[in-house]
Amino acid sequence: MQPTKKSTIYDIANLAGTSGSTVSAVLNGTWKKRRISVKLADRISKIADELGYTLNMQASALRREKSGIIGMIVPMYDNRYFSSIAQDFEQMARQRGLFPIVTCTRRDPKLEMEAARAMLSYQVESLVCTGATDPDCISDLCRASGVKTFNLDLPGQKAPSVISNNFEGAFALTRSIFKQCREAELELFPLLFVGGRAGDHNTRERLRGFIAAHEEVAIQAKHEYILTCGYGAEKSADTLQLFSETNKNIPSGMFVNSTITLEGIMRWSNKDGKHRLKGVKLGCFDWDPFAELLSEHILMVRQDVPEMLTRLFELIDRKSSKIETIEIMPIISPR
Amino acid sequence: MQPTKKSTIYDIANLAGTSGSTVSAVLNGTWKKRRISVKLADRISKIADELGYTLNMQASALRREKSGIIGMIVPMYDNRYFSSIAQDFEQMARQRGLFPIVTCTRRDPKLEMEAARAMLSYQVESLVCTGATDPDCISDLCRASGVKTFNLDLPGQKAPSVISNNFEGAFALTRSIFKQCREAELELFPLLFVGGRAGDHNTRERLRGFIAAHEEVAIQAKHEYILTCGYGAEKSADTLQLFSETNKNIPSGMFVNSTITLEGIMRWSNKDGKHRLKGVKLGCFDWDPFAELLSEHILMVRQDVPEMLTRLFELIDRKSSKIETIEIMPIISPR
DNA sequence: TTGAAAGCGCTAACAG
DNA sequence: CTGTTAGCGCTTTCAA
């Protein structure tokens, strides 16, 4: 029950009747080089165990000028895409003997910069920016400290990036929505596009794919049907409400730009026990297991997180600083 | 493009023609005590800015014997409960000027201990264990280093704990399932209980509530209907498949112990385009926005994360080490 | 086979 | 008002 203080290598050295440097060598495995007797090594290890000794990484890192920390910034945890990014990132970092620090910045540019600064203070060896508002700004900040950055899920001009192939994914998804319509023997018509920020790269690319798929079937995408109302369930619900008030009927096909947008849409659809979107074919650029079960008319694009992280760590492992953008094809589900 | 090295207070001191301690004082705000001239202070700050200086927290922490880091261990990120815990925890920690480090340990006891050890190495000032397999073991480890621990979402015998009131929540949820059955003019019958580990505290408490609610309506809960098949979608799907093979019909009411369990159940239910659970009243101890939309027969218990974290930080702020368990009432939704 | 000593970047006590 | 100095816990020569 005693609130023990932390023990140091010198505590151990005293108990073992030896010196700090010997203890250090034994405890960090350098000791084969220094020909320390196995007996001494064992005694030291045993004492360390008994004291519950843990290395002070702050001190160790300070001395070695190497923290062993890798940082990641994500916007949110609360959807399957970012949560699996965080989860898999941690695992892959640990496999490499690195200590992962992930932090979520709520799509808040100020918080993003603050978090990056904090990571630098804690001496991250490299920093991965996922879905940051302004990754280039963070890259600049980090480069000033000699810290490498990498972008995930959105391309930057100042660091190597791994992203989904948003154009192809959106193209395929839109095409599948049309296919569903055709199978339901509906005449083809311009689809609705809901969610995302008009300015951000991913949304722009997805819109390109969305429009290209319209052109493929010789349909003109409608400008007024593109509702890039940001991320957030409330906003998409309100946007759809407004749309339904000004347009007598909602198109029977819809491209939804994220699960959070889908959440708002479905909530609006089911409000007051109605089913406003009954029969409407939905395609969502993002995946969620429950959303997928919501109706047989829902198609989802699942971004290939394991592959994205594999490629990301290839860049990190080889300490690449070549500025390139690697695009990973997402997976359409089902079919 | 030059990979700048990190600058130190001495780089700044040289450029400003002053000493390291003065720079340090200016940069960390201690400088009003030392009556440093505003002019000097300004010059120093300006130079620091130009160099893109960031404090080396490793060194600072080493010297002050205070890291400013608070750690948290969670099992997963990929459900709304744990992801909002992580998200809100980070925010509340930052509000207190602490640097939050959250890591996910995949319900793997070995990884949990390793992660705790790593956190200690990096000098966390306190550690919150959420849903750990053996929090007491971690508490012991940390106490040996003089680091306070706190348990969240499950009670420990060796640290203050904040948990949901699982008994009351489960009791109310079960009661609501019965109510739904009654409203559908079904005769009451023993409900199915699916998911969770028979050994873990939360599941035990929920079972107690489940059984108590049966007793309230003078129904005997059936032993063979309690399927604590662990966490995991696959397992619950398989379990239900097996159950349906050995029992001719599935009870029309079901207590589902987590969203991941629900996921497996729904997937099994909808497999091959069927609706095996059509009309079955479901109650799930956990909340997910899409799951909630899945059917009108689904009730969810939402654990009160903001309140839990508020109470947790009260304990942390006052550095409590009184071993007590604070129970927070979860919220039944809808109604 | 081992120990002494310097120094990583920073802070705080003390001395001007 | 400011600089010197010691030391946080560790690693790493270098000397023995």
Side-chain angles (χ1 to χ4, degrees), chain A residues 81-82 85 130-131 151-156 161-171 201-206 208 257 285-287 301-309 311-312 325-332:
Chain A
Y81 179 51
F82 291 122
I85 285 178
T130 305
N151 298 316
L152 185 64
D153 186 49
L154 91 182
S161 309
V162 176
I163 63 174
S164 281
N165 191 323
N166 288 290
F167 173 80
E168 290 294 347
F171 183 77
H201 170 90
N202 291 349
T203 298
R204 269 199 325 268
E205 281 297 290
R206 292 174 196 174
R208 244 181 12 96
N257 202 12
F285 203 111
D286 244 339
W287 176 84
V301 167
R302 183 171 192 171
Q303 305 186 61
D304 192 346
V305 172
E307 178 66 14
M308 291 171 79
L309 286 176
R311 304 298 297 275
L312 176 72
T325 296
I326 296 173
E327 289 191 307
I328 309 294
M329 196 55 200
I331 301 146
I332 300 227

Side-chain angles (χ1 to χ4, degrees), chain A residues 63-81:
Chain A
R63 179 58 229 253
R64 309 168 59 185
E65 328 211 1
K66 212 164 173 316
S67 70
I69 302 179
I70 183 168
M72 172 177 257
I73 283 174
V74 294
M76 324 289 283
Y77 292 127
D78 70 359
N79 66 64
R80 297 301 268 240
Y81 179 51

Side-chain angles (χ1 to χ4, degrees), chain A residues 12-79:
Chain A
I12 299 175
N14 286 337
L15 287 172
T18 178
S19 73
S21 38
T22 302
V23 173
S24 171
V26 168
L27 261 28
N28 67 26
T30 341
W31 65 287
K32 308 125 217 179
K33 301 188 46 183
R34 321 187 50 164
R35 294 152 304 169
I36 292 172
S37 65
V38 179
K39 250 173 68 173
L40 216 206
D42 281 351
R43 194 161 79 247
I44 289 174
S45 307
K46 204 161 132 267
I47 295 176
D49 261 10
E50 282 163 7
L51 291 183
Y53 171 82
T54 46
L55 176 63
N56 183 332
M57 276 302 283
Q58 312 261 36
S60 172
L62 179 60
R63 179 58 229 253
R64 309 168 59 185
E65 328 211 1
K66 212 164 173 316
S67 70
I69 302 179
I70 183 168
M72 172 177 257
I73 283 174
V74 294
M76 324 289 283
Y77 292 127
D78 70 359
N79 66 64

Side-chain angles (χ1 to χ4, degrees), chain B residues 8-233:
Chain B
T8 73
I9 47 171
Y10 294 107
D11 298 331
I12 299 175
N14 286 337
L15 287 172
T18 178
S19 74
S21 42
T22 303
V23 174
S24 171
V26 168
L27 260 29
N28 67 26
T30 340
W31 66 287
K32 310 126 217 179
K33 302 188 44 187
R34 322 186 48 163
R35 295 152 303 169
I36 292 172
S37 67
V38 179
K39 248 174 67 172
L40 216 205
D42 281 351
R43 195 161 78 246
I44 289 174
S45 307
K46 204 162 133 268
I47 296 176
D49 262 9
E50 282 163 8
L51 290 183
Y53 171 83
T54 46
L55 175 63
N56 183 331
M57 275 303 282
Q58 312 262 34
S60 172
L62 180 60
R63 178 58 232 250
R64 310 168 59 185
E65 326 210 5
K66 214 163 171 315
S67 70
I69 302 179
I70 183 168
M72 172 178 256
I73 284 174
V74 294
M76 324 289 283
Y77 292 126
D78 71 358
N79 66 64
R80 296 301 269 242
Y81 178 52
F82 290 123
S83 60
S84 57
I85 285 177
Q87 219 160 278
D88 294 357
F89 174 79
E90 286 188 5
Q91 189 169 50
M92 295 179 75
R94 269 196 279 260
Q95 277 164 4
R96 285 160 174 76
L98 293 169
F99 185 68
I101 295 187
V102 183
T103 202
C104 105
T105 48
R106 301 165 171 259
R107 297 193 191 283
D108 172 351
K110 239 179 65 199
L111 190 49
E112 284 164 16
M113 289 305 284
E114 255 173 60
R117 235 178 269 280
M119 296 253 178
L120 284 179
S121 264
Y122 283 94
Q123 308 299 108
V124 288
E125 289 175 18
S126 42
L127 181 58
V128 179
C129 297
T130 305
T133 316
D134 189 354
D136 288 348
C137 197
I138 297 179
S139 296
D140 283 339
L141 182 71
C142 290
R143 206 187 36 247
S145 298
V147 170
K148 286 224 178 337
T149 61
F150 301 87
N151 298 316
L152 185 64
D153 187 50
L154 91 181
Q157 302 315 306
K158 312 223 176 182
S161 309
V162 176
I163 63 174
S164 282
N165 191 324
N166 288 290
F167 172 81
E168 291 294 347
F171 182 77
L173 180 62
T174 311
R175 191 187 240 173
S176 297
I177 302 174
F178 279 131
K179 185 163 160 232
Q180 281 223 338
C181 294
R182 230 181 283 110
E183 284 168 4
E185 308 198 338
L186 293 170
E187 215 178 315
L188 296 192
F189 49 86
L191 305 178
L192 213 56
F193 184 105
V194 195
R197 294 175 184 165
D200 82 27
H201 171 89
N202 292 349
T203 299
R204 266 197 329 264
E205 282 297 290
R206 291 172 196 176
L207 263 173
R208 242 180 15 96
F210 176 80
I211 291 168
H214 277 70
E215 284 167 358
E216 191 192 32
V217 291
I219 303 251
Q220 173 77 32
K222 270 209 195 177
H223 203 251
E224 323 84 79
Y225 281 15
I226 292 171
L227 313 172
T228 44
C229 55
Y231 298 102

